């Protein structure tokens, strides 16, 4: 395999798909060496096949807003790879959603899901609809209109969507309701459902908690733990909230949270009580993070900025892709950060990753460290299939075990001659080998 040649071909074919090309490049660079030890992969053109989605659905979504005006959005589902299980992955509702963004996310999801140890293929979907500033009734009408099309493409053994940016319990509930009405079938076709109708306990917490379980494993390799560590967190949505919560439980001191307008810095640390305020603010009132600084006057709000120039021990990007550039990564290193664990998908630009690795930071790519969310989605599918629900402790213990297994796999495939663990390489090689072997066994399809 010649990574540069393959990338040149993809760049010529998809010149505008920046995020997709970025995600593919990272994986191909990581796997080149092991790929070249397997001539049978080359013969079966595994790389050429694995970088293309199985199929992409694009559809128009038309709905009526509270003023009676007709609104039109675009909906998508990218079914990327089903070598190891039914398509599985979230839906993102955000005004910036494009096919490139969903292709990168579906590609990443394929390897992430392989790492979870559960049988799930990779997918992603969503819309350029933004729930921000919309009423509950508008969100419901949009979700219902979206499902009029998406329903045709999903099913419990075919493709099981869940949440992502802009899609939480409220949106999943509306979409599941419409799916059920159209199909007359009560099945586990969505995960992240409400707990009264088949949702798993710990699914809301899973991505953030899982990220901290992974971080704990990383720190352990250097004889450290979270106690007393100062933590920078970006985002204030689902992943950020529960990463913050687990940090607090383990004795760390979260200092920041953010949204797309700016970040807050709380020199006294974010406590569980303050976090409860944030949950109410973001999940119920749908407010902005700047209101935190009005509620807690010791905190400072920085409009239009990201938290990466503050001094701390650990950084947890939990907002969105490409939110740490090279200059910000250098600032983190200069300020003494020892570990970066990604709650978001691809939050670090390639030059930022290089800086983390050159400086021997503990650095976990999202496809390893944020895999807890989709893992508990997999456990929700299991519970739905057996018509049972497991206790919080059962699910949480399972989640811990999965995160620890993913960590072990990264160590196995990513430890360098000098002892440094390259988690990017470890995660990419481990994920790739599983998907590639499954594709080989299933013939040229
Ligand atoms: P939410 O919608 O709950 O929260 C997203 C947060 O990130 C909000 O605070 C939002 O601010 C902020 N944000 C979104 N877009 C941008 C942007 N362009 N620039 C700056 N801030 C932004 O989403 P989640 O917490 O679920 O997702 C966060 C990240 O975690 C995403 O990368 C997602 O793919 C990833 N992830 C999520 C999983 C899950 O289970 N939910 C699982 C694994 C990964 P604002 O309100 O201003 O938009
Ligand atoms: O990026 C992700 O892993 C998710 N948004 C969760 C996907 C899922 O199916 O739970």
């Amino acid at each position: 395999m010649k990574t540069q040649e393959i990338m040149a071909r993809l760049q010529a074919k998809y010149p505008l798909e920046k995020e997709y090309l970025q995600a593919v490049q990272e994986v191909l660079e990581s796997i080149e060496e092991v790929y070249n030890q397997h001539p049978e992969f080359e013969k079966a053109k595994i790389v050429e096949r694995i970088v293309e989605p199985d199929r992409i659905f694009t559809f128009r979504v038309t709905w009526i807003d509270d003023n009676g005006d007709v609104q039109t959005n675009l909906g998508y589902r990218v079914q990327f790879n089903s070598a190891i299980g039914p398509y599985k992955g979230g839906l993102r509702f955000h005004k910036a959603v494009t096919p490139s963004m969903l292709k990168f996310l579906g590609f990443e999801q394929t390897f992430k899901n392989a790492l979870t140890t559960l049988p799930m293929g990779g997918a992603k979907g969503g819309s350029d609809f933004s729930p921000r500033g919309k009423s509950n009734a508008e969100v419901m009408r949009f979700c219902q209109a979206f499902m009029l099309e998406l329903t045709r493409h999903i099913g419990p053994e075919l493709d099981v969507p869940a949440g992502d940016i802009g899609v939480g319990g409220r949106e999943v509930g509306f979409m599941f309701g419409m799916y059920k009405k159209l199909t007359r079938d009560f099945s586990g076709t969505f995960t992240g459902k409400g707990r009264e109708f088949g949702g798993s306990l710990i699914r809301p917490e899973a991505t953030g908690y899982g990220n901290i379980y992974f971080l704990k494993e990383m720190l352990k390799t250097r004889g450290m733990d979270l106690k007393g560590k100062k933590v920078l967190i970006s985002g204030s949505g689902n992943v950020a909230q529960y990463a913050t919560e687990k940090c607090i439980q383990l004795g760390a001191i979260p200092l920041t949270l953010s949204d797309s307008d700016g970040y807050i810095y709380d020199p006294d640390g974010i406590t569980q009580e303050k976090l409860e305020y944030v949950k109410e603010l973001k999940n119920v009132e749908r407010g902005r993070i700047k209101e935190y600084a009005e509620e807690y006057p010791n905190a400072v709000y920085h409009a239009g900025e990201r938290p990466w120039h503050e001094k701390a021990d650990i950084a947890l990007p939990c907002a969105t892709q490409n939110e740490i550039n090279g200059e910000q990564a250098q600032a983190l290193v200069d300020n003494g950060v020892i570990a970066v664990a990604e709650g978001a998908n691809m939050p670090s630009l390639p030059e930022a990753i290089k800086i983390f690795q050159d400086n021997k930071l503990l650095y976990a790519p999202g496809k390893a460290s944020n895999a807890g969310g989709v893992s508990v989605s997999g456990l929700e599918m299991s519970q739905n299939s057996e018509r049972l629900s497991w206790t919080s402790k059962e699910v949480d213990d399972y989640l811990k075990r999965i995160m620890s297994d993913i960590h072990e796999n990264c160590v196995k495939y990513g430890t360098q001659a000098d002892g440094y663990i390259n988690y990017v390489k470890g995660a990419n090689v481990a994920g790739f080998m599983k998907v590639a072997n499954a594709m080989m066994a299933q013939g040229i399809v």
Side-chain angles (χ1 to χ4, degrees), residues 135-152:
S135 69
N136 267 328
E138 288 177 320
V139 170
M140 182 180 76
R141 287 198 295 277
F142 172 80
C143 288
Q144 292 177 338
F146 182 80
M147 288 313 294
L148 287 176
E149 285 285 341
L150 186 67
T151 295
R152 297 172 205 275

Side-chain angles (χ1 to χ4, degrees), residues 92 94 105 112 124 132 163-167 203 207 235-240 258-261 282 287-288 306 318-321 323 343-345 370-371 373-374:
R92 178 174 292 193
H94 190 277
L105 288 162
K112 183 195 305 190
K124 205 83 187 191
R132 186 171 163 178
D164 193 77
I165 290 177
V167 178
R203 177 62 189 88
T207 311
S236 49
N238 173 267
V239 180
S258 74
D259 60 25
S260 50
D261 297 329
K282 299 301 289 185
R288 309 301 300 160
R306 294 190 157 135
C318 297
T320 191
Q321 66 279 346
E323 55 165 321
N345 285 306
N370 74 32
V374 75

Side-chain angles (χ1 to χ4, degrees), residues 5-210:
E5 275 173 28
I6 295 174
M7 285 313 301
R9 276 205 301 275
L10 287 176
Q11 260 145 12
K13 206 158 144 192
Y14 306 114
L16 303 177
E17 300 191 353
K18 192 171 72 64
E19 299 97 342
Y20 164 70
L21 294 169
Q22 181 184 334
V24 172
Q25 169 120 20
E26 182 206 282
V27 170
L28 296 195
E29 279 172 3
S30 295
I31 62 163
E32 185 163 349
E33 195 187 329
V34 22
Y35 193 82
N36 289 336
Q37 292 159 5
H38 290 269
E40 72 278 15
F41 288 169
E42 181 81 35
K43 191 153 186 295
K45 294 276 188 287
I46 291 290
V47 157
E48 285 79 350
R49 288 157 61 197
I50 215 169
V51 299
E52 298 284 358
D54 289 355
R55 64 193 70 79
I56 304 179
F57 300 104
T58 304
F59 45 92
R60 175 170 53 75
V61 183
T62 302
W63 56 284
I64 297 180
D65 70 18
D66 286 349
N67 295 323
D69 292 331
V70 176
Q71 299 289 339
T72 298
N73 289 98
L74 286 174
Y76 308 93
R77 186 72 178 164
V78 179
Q79 294 181 337
F80 217 103
N81 189 297
S82 64
I84 65 169
Y87 300 107
K88 181 80 195 87
L91 295 168
R92 178 174 292 193
F93 290 171
H94 190 277
K95 62 180 186 310
V97 160
T98 60
S100 167
M101 194 187 287
L102 299 177
K103 274 174 71 179
F104 117 64
L105 288 162
F107 181 74
E108 291 281 289
Q109 197 81 47
T110 300
F111 300 96
K112 183 195 305 190
N113 292 3
L115 290 171
T116 63
T117 69
L118 304 172
M120 299 180 288
K124 205 83 187 191
S127 174
D128 60 356
F129 167 82
S130 169
R132 186 171 163 178
K134 306 289 192 304
S135 69
N136 267 328
E138 288 177 320
V139 170
M140 182 180 76
R141 287 198 295 277
F142 172 80
C143 288
Q144 292 177 338
F146 182 80
M147 288 313 294
L148 287 176
E149 285 285 341
L150 186 67
T151 295
R152 297 172 205 275
H153 309 304
I154 60 176
E157 313 297 336
L158 168 62
D159 183 348
V160 181
D164 193 77
I165 290 177
V167 178
R170 174 182 62 167
E171 290 76 14
V172 168
F174 291 149
M175 287 191 277
F176 180 75
M178 193 61 174
Y179 175 82
K180 187 165 56 79
K181 181 158 178 98
L182 291 169
T183 60
R184 300 183 183 178
D185 197 19
F186 198 114
S187 68
T189 296
F190 270 85
T191 60
K193 300 184 293 294
R195 54 201 273 200
E196 305 81 0
F197 51 99
S200 176
L201 290 167
I202 304 293
R203 177 62 189 88
E205 294 87 346
T207 311
Y209 279 17

